[in-house]
Structures are given as C-alpha cells and as structure tokens.
Amino acid sequence: MTSEHVLICVAWPYANGPLHLGHVAGCYLPPDIQARFERALGNRVLMVSGSDEHGTPITVSAEQNGVSPQDIVDKYHTMNSQALLDLGCAWEPQVDPRGVEYGGALFNRTSDPRHKQMVQDNFTALLDAGLFEEKTMKQYYETNDDGTGRFLPDRYVEGVCPSCQEDGARGDQCDACGATYEAEELLQPRSKMNPTASIEVRDTEHLFYRLDAFQSALEHHASGQQKVWKSNVRAMTKQWLDMGLRPRAVTRDLAWGIPLPLEGEEWNGKCVYVWFEAVQGYSTCARIWADSVALQANHPDGGDAWKNWWNIAENGDVPRHLYFLGKDNIPFHTVIWPALILGLNHAKKGLTIADEVLLPGPGEMALETNVPAMEYLMLAGGQFSKSRKHAVWLPSFLERFDP
Ligand SMILES: [Zn+2]
C-alpha cells in the first residue's frame, strides 16, 4: 500500500486572547481527528499551525494595557499552545513515533525570526517578478503637542459611520452596519488612543499584490474543486471571484510586524501587512520543522524534508493539503493564499507579471486539496466571540473538566 503525504493545516489562532470552545469545535479538534485518522491509515502526516502575532488588535490591546506587544503575544502564545496540549491535541511529539519520514507536528509562531526571514525573501521574489504595484493612499496622521506624530491604521481611528451614523466606527469599517469606506469618508474622525490630538489625512506610499493577475488561474482551480468543496466554501469563493480580484495592500503604516526588505525613506515606520505573512505560516512552519526537528531526527532529506509535504513530486504525485478553519476565513484559503502560492511558483521560474500564470506542476508548491471550513458554534443563542467576550474559555474549561 502506498503511503500518502498529507499536510494538515490548522488555522493560526490570533495571540490577543485565550482560545474558546468555539475555536476548539471549529478549528482545533477536527484537524486533530483527521491527523490521527490519516496516521491510522499508514499515511505520512505533517501538522502545522502556530500563533498569529502581528497586526493592530495586538498593538491596540498593548497600548490600552500599558505593556509591549511582545508581552501580549508571549502571554497568549504560551497560554494557547499549553491549552491545546492539555486538551490532548497531537502537537507533541514533534516527530511521528513511526519515524521522522512519517512526519510529525509543529505549533510555531509568526514572531519566529526564521518565519520573518522567509517572508522577507518571498516578498522580494514577488516584488522582483513585478507582482506588486505601488500606489499612494490617504491615511490619518496624528500630531502630538511636541511635534512628533504617526500614521493611524484602521483600528486607531474612530468616528461616526458615514453610512448608519453610529459613533465608534473604525477608520475603514463600521462594526454596527458592516459598511466599508475610505478613511476620509469617516465623519468626526479622532485618534482612538489620543482623542484630543489633532489629526489630518496625509498621503502614504504602499505596495499592493496583483491578485488580479491570478483571476483566471484561480477560476480554473475553483472549477475543479466544485465536487470537493462544501457548499459554504463553494459559495463564498464564487462570490469573491465573481466580484473580480483587485490588488491588495501588502504593506501598512505600523511598526509592529515584519520589517519591509526595502530601502528608502518612504518605507520607514511600515511593515508587511499581517494577512500577507501569517498565511505563509503554513509553508514556513513546514520548512522550520524540517530545518530543526527533521534534520535533528536524521530525515533522509534533511532540511529539504518539507518538500515531501509541499511540492508536487516529479512523478506527478500531489501531496494532500487539508486546511481546517472557521467559515470567516474561507476566501483567504481558497483565493488569497492560493494566489500567493501561484505567485511564488511563478517567480521561482523566473517569470513576471507579463507571463501567463499556470497551475502548479512537478517540483512546485501544491494548492489546497480541500478546505473543510466549519460553521460557528453557538452559545446561548449567539455566536462564540472573542472580541465580545461571549465564550467558554478553553483554559477555564480545562480547569473544571479533565479531557
Ligand atoms: Zn455603520
């Protein structure tokens, strides 16, 4: 019997709070069951995930609590990785007991310097292939009394929603009515952290990933997945593709994140946009597992062991990639991440934006085999929610119930 390579990709929990039972039911138990099932079949399983540690929810939370963003992510990475182990999830041992060629698991974090380096290398490869375009955006800027100042990304600006007139709307989005808008359309804008500071709209340079270049290849891929995807995955992916893909910002005005591998004053104080780097964790985590765990355990392919789980073999065998996530993340896994994989394959071949984008072939990184996205778990008639603190938290659940 042949032993397939199966990559189990588990949604990366955001490190600004404890996991709750909604996360467990939606994202963390199903992949664990799948991994055990695949191992029982004799397959070679590598399971990857980790803490998503950058972005504005973490910096806002740090500023509100008077601590550093690093303090926040250290606290929740430790808490969440321990809670998953206490629950009995198979993140340890990191090497399969049948032998390292059968795989293993790694729960990593996006602040890992090796992840940062790989993301910067990928950023440069896509830039060199002409897959980014530069645009000038308008963004609020706050000036303090002492003359210092900073740009204010979305969550740092509050005001009155131009659509429903509700106060407390964010810089680019209203939680009350769901409207999205340009920064300068927000009414009575003010700095969330510093409401009395004077703020103004300023120009700021940003780079955008040319998602539009992948429209046709992704439509082709999606049409081949119609019998595989669940109805919610089919519907949400179709909605995105039907709207037409547009370039998406890969940089932002924020200091907490992966530094841009770019020279020039216009890039000071900016970092890689969190969506662009966190989703790459599925591949960087496999490479880091190979470089550390597999190498040490004498995998015959050493630091290249990850390719068994990521790349299409020369004989055409495709490793199976299963992504487990909540339904709000579907387009990231059926459109955006596949577009990045296609772009990285494209750039590696020395092709540019001028060349036709093709689906992966032998020696290239594979696209998803399936994205079994889960619906939300309900609690007392409402959705579990970390931001609204409507949840049963995993650490307190484990204190009361021994799994
Ligand atoms: Zn509104």
Side-chain angles (χ1 to χ4, degrees), residues 160-166 169 173-179 181:
V160 174
C161 171
S163 186
C164 74
Q165 319 299 320
E166 181 89 5
Q173 188 183 333
C174 170
D175 286 340
C177 74
Y181 35 79

Side-chain angles (χ1 to χ4, degrees), residues 10-14 49-55 109-111 115 119 258 272-285 332-333 337 340:
V10 184
W12 289 54
Y14 198 61
S49 186
S51 295
D52 178 357
E53 302 191 328
H54 296 127
R109 53 196 304 193
T110 57
S111 59
H115 170 78
V119 165
I258 297 182
V272 176
Y273 214 129
V274 65
W275 71 263
F276 175 84
E277 52 107 345
V279 78
Q280 292 184 48
Y282 295 121
S283 72
T284 65
C285 187
F332 268 89
H333 293 80
W337 176 222
L340 282 178

